[in-house]
Amino acid sequence: MLNFSLSDEQTALRDMVRKFVQQEIIPNAAKYDETGEFPREIINKAWEAGLMNINIPEKFGGMGLGVLSDVIINEEMGAGCLGITTSIAVNTLGLYPIILGGTDAQIEEFAVPFLSSPKLCSFCLTEPGAGSDAGSLSTMATEEGDHFILNGSKMWITNAGHADLLTVFCTTNKELKTKGIICLAVPANLPGISFGKHENKLGQRCSDTRAMNFDNVKVPKKNLIGKIGEGFKIAMRTLDRTRTPIAAGAVGAARAAMTYSKNYAKERKQFGQPIANFQAIQFMLADMAVKIESARLLCYNSGWLIDNGQIEQGGYFSALAKRHAADMAMEVATDAVQIYGGYGYTKEYPVEKIMRDVKLVQIYEGTSQIQRIVIARHLLKD
Amino acid sequence: MTIIVLIKQVPDTETKVRITADKKGIETNDIKWVINPYDEFAIEEGLKTKERLKEGTVTVVTVGPARTVEALRTAVAMGADNAIHVKEEGTLDTYLVSKALAEVCKKENGQIIFTGKQAIDDDQAATFAYVAELLDYPSATVIVKCDISADKTKATLEQEADSGAKNIIETSLPAVIGVNKGINTPRYASLPGIMKAKKKEIKTYTLNDLGLGAETARAIDSDYQLPPERAAGKKLSGDIPTQVKELVRLLREEAKVI
Ligand SMILES: Cc1cc2nc3c(=O)[nH]c(=O)nc-3n(C[C@H](O)[C@H](O)[C@H](O)COP(=O)(O)OP(=O)(O)OC[C@H]3O[C@@H](n4cnc5c(N)ncnc54)[C@H](O)[C@@H]3O)c2cc1C
């Protein structure tokens, strides 16, 4: 039977995060946007409330929760500030390769410490020359005794400047293309690792994004996650699970944009009446609702499929969810600014920030074009 | 040491209150229910006290219909060890609620009893005093600091008084303490806490179980009314000297503040 209602615990989780966002994030979002300062304090509080690393299995003392829970968390957080959401959510992305591909001993060594203090983990896939075509990455891992020697550089790595652990995708043999890619768990303080400056971005300005360089970094072989050649598969299995929560963040941001602009439309008077009386405004609001509700359903569906073991179908739905949520959130935020008119174009009101922030969702974790490629490939495969 | 926290479930502060047709209550259909904010401070103080003493248990208690279990589960998700629900679907008043709470405090042998100084729904600020009276315990309210002595027989309390002054109160235990905003910052219900709360068994009593089967509410609400609509503000016109004159006149003659 079809049932769209959240369970009691999911409702309690949503209410708790909503309260967290109202008290901790919304009052501070504009400040972090303006200064670009890293939201360390809020991250620590989110960790204390148990909102991070929820994918660490119960067997290791974690919560062992799946995608749906992250969807619920991210929608609420996204309604507060997408930059802070990204900073908080990236741990899930960084830890999944270890949880999905690592041995029990590796999960114990690398992931479990995240349960006892608010550590940060970065997911290092993209390179200056390998963005959408991540499979063409060229950071080299050369075997030398008990170690891999890492050389190369990464680009756009979230939380890099604050990370304790890095999951690094690199290649042992570029000729083998994706079959040569490996995944390594790399402590961020190993000699030879250096970080670029905090990028000065259009939106999500407080999320820390940096280039990185590996210069003869010696990584023990026991840090190899999965087998040689399995790295790319691990990266893709990870992204199948994280795209949906990322999409949910965009749903939350769009929801906030709709609420702000709806309230404004009821108050702002022109031609002797609230602008909400004009059908042109009403239609924008109605379309926002359609887009937001449909994107949320895609997120829930994708999360449910993945959590219920239907990862193949879930992966496909995660691309649908990400493509739709990212693009619709951009449209909704643009219309929200339109409803505010000139006032919306200033930092006095919250909607221009949402417009800048959601733009990134069309780019990271696979651009909207790449999501369409994933979707079309699935449609045309037989 | 058994720390007891008495809590009440109330409508969220953003609720648009609508009165029922018979005027005996408010429409509850669309209400989002939350823990009374002052009781959140009480829960936090209970948890903090346990942490400071490094021993004891925190038991949360509420009286009310089935829905009020949610308030207990939230308190467990914040870290309370036990929860007790006195389930009553019928009409309640401060007397009956306090009777039930006092019985539970006796049964559980509570050594220190925290509650909010008042509930934000009816603002009666009476429960702490009723419960203390029924138990014959000392009580104090509007408390912003609470230290338990090392031998756990006494508490030193700071009570807010007018114009920022503070009364320092020393009381023997057991005692009932009404806490005020500012005593602490309540923690969030944690996600692991929420999952734990789902499995937590909540002890349920009826008024009958507590020997209160023959009791009924003594105060009945009969005629709810919304506050009068606030009159629109006044905008003064004319040049500045005229406006100032008019403002002073209004402040004196209409607002009567100068
Ligand atoms: C703020 C930020 C944070 C990030 N965080 C991380 C992180 O933590 N870890 C990480 O590994 N990466 C991260 N990324 C990288 C992100 O995933 C990439 O930017 C993204 O995958 C796109 O790669 P690119 O920027 O090189 O663009 P390109 O791949 O160069 O794409 C440029 C344009 O071409 C289009 N395009 C490319 N190929 C095709 C095609 N085959 N068909 C049609 N159109 C195509 C793209 O859609 C895009 O519009 C982050 C990026 C940003 C901006």
Side-chain angles (χ1 to χ4, degrees):
Chain A
M1 203 174 77
L2 211 48
N3 181 353
F4 288 103
S5 56
L6 298 181
S7 70
D8 286 350
E9 303 78 62
Q10 287 165 337
T11 309
L13 169 62
R14 185 199 60 197
D15 290 349
M16 180 265 273
V17 185
R18 196 170 283 178
K19 187 168 172 187
F20 182 90
V21 169
Q22 257 156 15
Q23 296 183 349
E24 310 291 342
I25 297 186
I26 291 176
N28 295 309
K31 175 189 88 181
Y32 284 111
D33 176 54
E34 193 69 26
T35 60
E37 187 196 326
F38 191 62
R40 184 85 229 188
E41 215 179 301
I42 295 179
I43 293 174
N44 290 354
K45 285 183 181 171
W47 178 85
E48 244 162 60
L51 297 176
M52 296 174 70
N53 320 314
I54 67 169
N55 53 348
I56 298 177
E58 277 182 289
K59 176 172 153 194
F60 300 95
M63 300 291 304
L65 287 171
V67 175
L68 254 184
S69 301
D70 264 331
V71 164
I72 292 167
I73 294 173
N74 280 15
E75 178 180 338
E76 294 309 320
M77 293 232 184
C81 172
L82 268 186
I84 295 173
T85 307
T86 296
S87 310
I88 288 172
V90 153
N91 267 22
T92 311
L93 176 66
L95 291 179
Y96 255 132
I98 297 165
I99 291 164
L100 294 172
T103 61
D104 282 6
Q106 287 175 324
I107 295 174
E108 202 64 69
E109 179 177 356
F110 300 114
V112 170
F114 283 72
L115 295 172
S116 49
S117 67
K119 294 182 191 303
L120 294 173
C121 180
S122 288
F123 177 87
C124 312
L125 177 66
T126 308
E127 296 182 357
S132 297
D133 184 13
S136 69
L137 61 81
S138 55
T139 295
M140 273 304 297
T142 319
E143 291 188 56
E144 197 183 282
D146 296 341
H147 289 82
F148 287 104
I149 308 297
L150 268 186
N151 279 293
S153 43
K154 293 286 172 186
M155 193 66 198
W156 309 120
I157 304 307
T158 302
N159 285 357
H162 303 267
D164 302 282
L165 183 72
L166 314 166
T167 37
V168 180
F169 296 88
C170 44
T171 177
T172 50
N173 181 352
K174 206 166 165 347
E175 311 245 290
L176 293 176
K177 301 203 168 129
T178 57
K179 299 262 156 46
I181 293 177
I182 65 170
C183 173
L184 294 174
V186 182
N189 59 1
L190 288 189
I193 302 179
S194 55
F195 301 95
K197 66 170 182 20
H198 165 47
E199 296 291 345
N200 187 0
K201 303 191 297 292
L202 171 73
Q204 303 204 15
R205 292 175 44 77
C206 70
S207 76
D208 180 79
T209 318
R210 295 173 197 254
M212 291 180 55
N213 199 57
F214 298 97
D215 181 16
N216 285 318
V217 179
K218 240 177 126 178
V219 183
K221 275 196 174 157
K222 71 171 175 56
N223 294 21
L224 173 68
I225 305 296
K227 297 196 186 74
I228 288 185
E230 284 184 351
F232 194 70
K233 208 172 76 194
I234 292 173
M236 293 305 119
R237 283 169 66 201
T238 294
L239 293 170
D240 279 344
R241 285 165 174 81
T242 55
R243 265 179 199 144
T244 306
I246 291 291
V251 171
R255 188 184 87 196
M258 179 173 76
T259 307
Y260 287 128
S261 52
K262 177 192 73 179
N263 291 341
Y264 184 80
K266 290 203 284 195
E267 275 167 22
R268 173 68 174 170
K269 288 200 178 105
Q270 283 297 283
F271 299 97
Q273 54 188 311
I275 59 169
N277 283 3
F278 303 129
Q279 205 176 49
I281 302 284
Q282 291 173 4
F283 279 17
M284 270 196 262
L285 291 169
D287 285 345
M288 286 180 184
V290 173
K291 289 168 186 171
I292 292 166
E293 296 294 342
S294 57
R296 181 187 294 118
L297 285 178
L298 280 176
C299 289
Y300 280 179
N301 195 358
S302 161
W304 188 89
L305 286 165
I306 296 167
D307 290 350
N308 285 280
Q310 302 181 46
I311 183 66
E312 173 97 1
Q313 190 71 359
Y316 166 61
F317 265 83
S318 75
L320 294 178
K322 169 90 169 29
R323 201 304 284 159
H324 183 43
D327 292 355
M328 77 85 198
M330 196 61 219
E331 292 162 11
V332 167
T334 309
D335 281 350
V337 173
Q338 195 65 24
I339 289 176
Y340 270 81
Y343 299 92
Y345 199 63
T346 71
K347 297 193 180 189
E348 293 299 309
Y349 291 89
V351 285
E352 61 81 35
K353 170 178 180 294
I354 298 177
M355 185 173 163
R356 288 184 285 109
D357 285 351
V358 295
K359 181 65 209 173
L360 181 54
V361 189
Q362 294 180 304
I363 297 171
Y364 68 2
E365 294 214 20
T367 65
S368 289
Q369 289 70 37
I370 294 303
Q371 304 309 326
R372 287 180 177 88
I373 291 175
V374 173
I375 296 164
R377 204 178 277 151
H378 185 92
L379 292 176
L380 297 169
K381 75 174 181 242
D382 47 29
Chain B
M1 181 162 197
T2 305
I3 301 161
I4 293 188
V5 186
L6 311 177
I7 68 174
K8 183 177 188 182
Q9 193 188 45
V10 298
D12 186 56
T13 44
E14 282 174 25
T15 305
K16 286 208 177 74
V17 174
R18 282 176 299 128
I19 292 171
T20 53
D22 66 5
K23 301 206 168 165
K24 293 205 167 105
I26 59 170
E27 293 281 2
T28 52
N29 287 344
D30 301 330
I31 287 184
K32 181 171 177 280
W33 297 96
V34 298
I35 296 177
N36 170 38
Y38 291 109
D39 295 343
E40 282 191 353
F41 296 113
I43 296 167
E44 178 66 28
E45 198 56 26
L47 299 173
K48 280 248 164 70
T49 302
K50 174 183 157 180
E51 285 163 8
R52 284 192 289 251
L53 295 174
K54 299 194 173 66
E55 66 109 4
T57 55
V58 177
T59 301
V60 283
V61 189
T62 198
V63 185
R67 62 169 157 77
T68 58
V69 169
E70 282 315 309
L72 294 173
R73 289 209 191 275
T74 305
V76 172
M78 285 171 75
D81 301 288
N82 303 304
I84 298 176
H85 182 204
V86 181
K87 196 169 162 193
E88 176 52 48
E89 302 287 338
T91 307
L92 292 165
D93 67 347
T94 311
Y95 167 76
L96 193 50
V97 166
S98 302
K99 271 280 205 192
L101 292 173
E103 287 306 319
V104 174
C105 290
K106 260 191 258 174
K107 257 189 202 295
E108 298 295 317
N109 189 26
Q111 288 307 293
I112 183 156
I113 298 156
F114 290 110
T115 188
K117 65 163 183 166
Q118 71 197 82
I120 58 151
D121 51 357
D122 55 22
D123 280 325
Q124 291 200 34
T127 304
F128 80 94
Y130 267 76
V131 172
E133 182 64 23
L134 290 165
L135 291 167
D136 201 18
Y137 290 171
S139 75
T141 192
V142 209
I143 299 304
V144 289
K145 193 162 189 282
C146 171
D147 285 320
I148 310 282
S149 64
D151 64 359
K152 296 163 205 156
T153 60
K154 279 185 304 205
T156 308
L157 310 170
E158 261 183 48
Q159 180 182 53
E160 273 186 348
D162 279 347
S163 62
K166 291 213 168 101
N167 298 324
I168 308 297
I169 300 169
E170 201 179 275
T171 175
S172 60
L173 295 179
V176 183
I177 296 167
V179 304
N180 197 11
K181 186 179 172 164
I183 190 168
N184 55 42
T185 309
R187 67 196 68 187
Y188 293 95
S190 73
L191 178 48
I194 288 171
M195 303 312 281
K196 206 178 77 190
K198 151 182 130 177
K199 293 176 203 139
K200 183 87 202 170
E201 204 191 313
I202 291 182
K203 214 193 273 179
T204 307
Y205 294 120
T206 60
L207 291 177
N208 234 348
D209 298 337
L210 300 173
L212 302 172
E215 297 274 2
T216 53
R218 296 180 174 186
I220 310 282
D221 300 325
S222 57
D223 185 13
Y224 270 79
Q225 292 185 7
L226 289 174
E229 291 245 359
R230 212 186 283 171
K234 234 178 221 158
K235 208 168 180 181
L236 304 179
S237 55
D239 59 11
I240 297 293
T242 323
Q243 285 192 39
V244 170
K245 243 191 205 155
E246 178 64 1
L247 179 63
V248 171
R249 189 189 68 79
L250 287 171
L251 287 175
R252 173 168 299 156
E253 291 172 17
E254 276 194 18
K256 298 193 167 79
V257 291
I258 53 172

